Amino acid sequence: MRKTLISGLAGVAIFVFSAAAWAAPYDEVLNRWQKTQKFSDAGETIAITVTYYSSEYIEALVQSEAEKNLWTADELEMHKYQLLKTLRLDDTIPVKFQFEVMGPTLHLAPFGQQVWIWIGKKRYDPVDFDPRFNFGVTEKIDGMVYFPRFDEKTGKDLLEGVGSVKVVVSGGISMAVKPVNVDFIWDVGNDDPSRLYGGQAGSRLEMDRLIKRLANLNREKEECEQRLGELNSEISTVEARMKELQQQ
């Protein structure tokens, strides 16, 4: 009986050690893309955590959740599909912000002017963000912020050929932080978001994009057909009037 108990405990210990060993690489990756800075002054403390959703981070996040929840391959692909859809990687650079406050209420509005990203030598403001950031923060809040991925004029991928990005939070959000801005820098030179689009999740996302593109094309086609109809009608009117004039 005692030997059986010892064997069982040993088995549990081995399982726990094995799970911890597998978790370590994921935690290492997740921590690499998540950075925290803390500031305190005059009874006010604020902790700012920013997470850059690189392809490496997303893969580690999905795999880590799959192991924790013992997902099947189909469940993993479904989770990955939902996550990628939420992150809007096809047209934005997603970054997660968390603000933790100990002290007076933190006011972040207008939030769109309080955070930005430097890509190369150019600064870009958010194109969208969690609207809750515009309300006062008394304890903790986190949410997604989306920065542009493509140049408005040329359509070029802003991250192409870029070695690093810098996400900035304005020092004006708090007396504990002021007057300096808060910088979070990541090396993104080897990041390749396209590798996330393999498997079922990638196929579903591509189908979503194609359906959306097809809807846009059909709308443009209808507008062109309507315009063509108007032009044909005007041509007929002009030709008819020309014939009338010739018969006079």
Side-chain angles (χ1 to χ4, degrees), residues 170-191:
S170 170
I173 64 170
S174 165
M175 292 304 296
V177 181
K178 204 171 183 179
V180 297
N181 294 331
V182 188
D183 297 342
F184 299 86
I185 302 172
W186 289 274
D187 178 2
V188 298
N190 296 320
D191 188 37

Side-chain angles (χ1 to χ4, degrees), residues 70-87:
L70 302 178
W71 285 337
T72 63
D74 286 343
E75 287 172 328
L76 183 151
E77 287 294 329
M78 175 60 73
H79 176 76
K80 183 177 179 181
Y81 165 73
Q82 294 294 347
L83 178 61
L84 291 176
K85 197 169 183 180
T86 300
L87 292 176

Side-chain angles (χ1 to χ4, degrees), residues 81-132:
Y81 165 73
Q82 294 294 347
L83 178 61
L84 291 176
K85 197 169 183 180
T86 300
L87 292 176
R88 298 164 50 181
L89 278 170
D90 56 333
D91 63 347
T92 71
I93 299 171
V95 180
K96 184 177 181 180
F97 286 76
Q98 177 182 290
F99 298 88
E100 188 172 2
V101 183
M102 288 152 277
T105 299
L106 177 67
H107 296 283
L108 297 169
F111 186 76
Q113 298 175 22
Q114 307 290 8
V115 299
W116 56 89
I117 190 171
W118 282 96
I119 304 174
K121 296 181 180 180
K122 289 190 177 181
R123 167 181 161 164
Y124 299 90
D125 295 327
V127 294
D128 196 11
F129 56 84
D130 191 321
R132 295 177 303 150

